[in-house]
Amino acid sequence: MRKLPSLFDTMTLPVIGSPMFIISNPKLVIEQCKAGIVGAMPALNARPQTLLDEWICEIKEVLALHDKTAEQRSAPFAINLITHKTNSRLDHDLDIVIKHKVPLVITSLGARPEVNDAIHAYGGVVMHDVINNTFARKAIEKGADGVIAVAAGAGGHAGIKSPFALVQEIRQWFDGPLALSGAMAHGGAVLAARAMGADFAYIGSAFIATEEANAPQAYKQAIVDGSSDDVVYTNLFTGVHGNYLKRSIQNAGLDPAALPSSDARDMTFENGESKPKAWKDIWGGGQGIGGVTEVVSASALVRRLREEYEAARRSLCH
Ligand SMILES: Cc1cc2nc3c(=O)[nH]c(=O)nc-3n(C[C@H](O)[C@H](O)[C@H](O)COP(=O)(O)O)c2cc1C
């Protein structure tokens, strides 16, 4: 077994609940961590920006209390920093992350050595998300400790690489923490990610259909009702390709089969949003949603994933 940084020692299932714009909030993060997986939240979800300090205080206090009494200590939490050059909140949010010594920081959209250095200075761990092997190398060269390989079918911004190709190529030169992202909503897929060489499954869309997620009921239901046939890959909404639910595109009066293209230069985080206002009701969702059949609590979802993971493990031993 590969040696991972000790902060991961309290995890009871090798899953990181991925940070999701708008959707992830302290309630969801706390329940994920209590259930034994990493809970993560984009810093940009705390608005106004002063709320980030309060939210991290809340997460730390509730988890510290839990750890005093519970049999099983909580898993670490993570904050996602968008390191894209247009993110005008980055300096502020990084200061708050440093103040709270956030154990795991997930960086996206541009690896930044100075950000990695600042997090390492207090002992934090950085994982950077990438869609191909070239970006993975750059992230590690620039000082990230680990990578999140975002494969085809992931909800939100996603790549086009097969998970098999991506993990294989990264593992040929990198022995550090590696999470695999994209279309996982079943414990068997978590085991498969491990078998391929990843340390963690990175799961987002399945957590949209939880009681704690900050999403309208209709969005949660669309995740429950949907399958991979209901997911569209387009760059129209942010300038960068990602996966979105057809239903929300139709609700916005657009034809999902005939969407115009956009341009990566259109992407901006200047007003703290990843999408222009016109597209705020477009719902992100990955190809794995066929595995989601009901809205449940985050702890019930983690319990199901754990049971499926153990069952898949046992079935391979026969
Ligand atoms: C609605 C939505 C919003 C997302 N927002 C972010 C984000 O703000 N930052 C980020 O790093 N990744 C974001 N992601 C991508 C996830 O971190 C992750 O790669 C993805 O959810 C994993 O694939 P899955 O959804 O198929 O499980 C988002 C994904 C979704 C579905």
Side-chain angles (χ1 to χ4, degrees):
M1 282 265 283
R2 249 180 310 281
K3 182 89 188 89
L4 290 169
S6 59
L7 88 157
F8 296 116
D9 287 354
T10 55
M11 293 175 72
T12 58
L13 185 69
V15 169
I16 298 175
S18 66
M20 290 182 284
F21 188 58
I22 313 269
I23 312 282
S24 313
N25 57 16
K27 253 196 308 187
L28 179 59
V29 170
I30 288 167
E31 290 309 312
Q32 289 172 322
C33 295
K34 281 177 18 185
I37 68 167
V38 171
M41 175 182 83
L44 288 179
N45 283 5
R47 274 181 267 175
Q49 63 184 25
T50 47
L51 195 58
L52 183 61
D53 193 17
E54 274 176 48
W55 276 10
I56 297 179
C57 282
E58 181 188 342
I59 292 169
K60 286 171 78 174
E61 277 169 25
V62 177
L63 294 181
L65 203 62
H66 169 87
D67 289 352
K68 269 193 193 155
T69 52
E71 240 169 64
Q72 178 63 47
R73 282 188 59 205
S74 55
F77 71 98
I79 295 294
N80 170 224
L81 295 177
I82 302 292
T83 37
H84 193 259
K85 54 187 182 317
T86 61
N87 180 9
S88 50
R89 275 184 53 164
L90 182 60
D91 288 346
H92 167 273
D93 293 346
L94 180 59
D95 283 347
I96 301 294
V97 159
I98 295 168
K99 173 181 164 191
H100 287 286
K101 297 187 164 59
V102 170
L104 176 63
V105 180
I106 293 168
T107 53
S108 323
L109 299 169
R112 303 264 286 259
E114 70 282 13
V115 172
N116 295 330
D117 290 346
I119 293 159
H120 290 154
Y122 69 78
V125 170
V126 183
M127 293 182 76
H128 188 69
D129 89 10
V130 299
I131 56 165
N132 60 39
N133 188 35
T134 306
F135 288 154
R137 275 191 191 277
K138 272 193 194 156
I140 297 303
E141 276 163 21
K142 291 188 176 182
D145 305 287
V147 286
I148 297 155
V150 184
H157 291 153
I160 51 169
K161 300 281 184 174
S162 150
F164 295 102
L166 202 46
V167 171
Q168 175 174 271
E169 289 175 4
I170 295 171
R171 273 297 180 230
Q172 278 165 358
W173 59 271
F174 182 60
D175 198 30
L178 172 60
L180 175 63
S181 165
M184 283 178 275
H186 188 282
V190 178
L191 187 66
R194 292 286 305 277
M196 286 160 61
D199 298 301
F200 308 104
Y202 195 74
I203 301 182
S205 297
F207 283 98
I208 298 172
T210 60
E211 288 152 11
E212 293 84 355
N214 179 34
Q217 206 49 44
Y219 187 178
K220 295 182 185 185
Q221 196 56 43
I223 295 282
V224 168
D225 296 341
S227 71
S228 56
D229 288 345
D230 302 303
V231 173
V232 177
Y233 188 62
T234 174
N235 67 0
L236 175 63
F237 305 113
T238 66
V240 170
H241 273 95
N243 285 306
Y244 301 91
L245 300 186
K246 258 187 202 169
R247 188 183 293 185
S248 66
I249 296 173
Q250 283 157 343
N251 289 347
L254 297 169
D255 177 0
L259 294 174
S261 272
S262 187
D263 192 311
R265 283 167 297 188
D266 293 347
M267 184 164 62
T268 176
F269 292 85
E270 256 161 26
N271 53 5
E273 304 266 351
S274 73
K275 273 187 281 196
K277 285 264 180 293
W279 306 127
K280 73 178 176 17
D281 294 324
I282 301 294
W283 300 333
Q287 289 180 6
I289 56 174
V292 181
T293 56
E294 56 183 335
V295 177
V296 292
S297 64
S299 67
L301 174 54
V302 175
R303 202 160 46 240
R304 169 172 73 76
L305 292 171
R306 181 179 290 111
E307 285 165 8
E308 292 165 348
Y309 179 80
E310 294 303 340
R313 229 166 39 174
R314 281 193 303 275
S315 76
L316 289 178
C317 295
H318 286 241

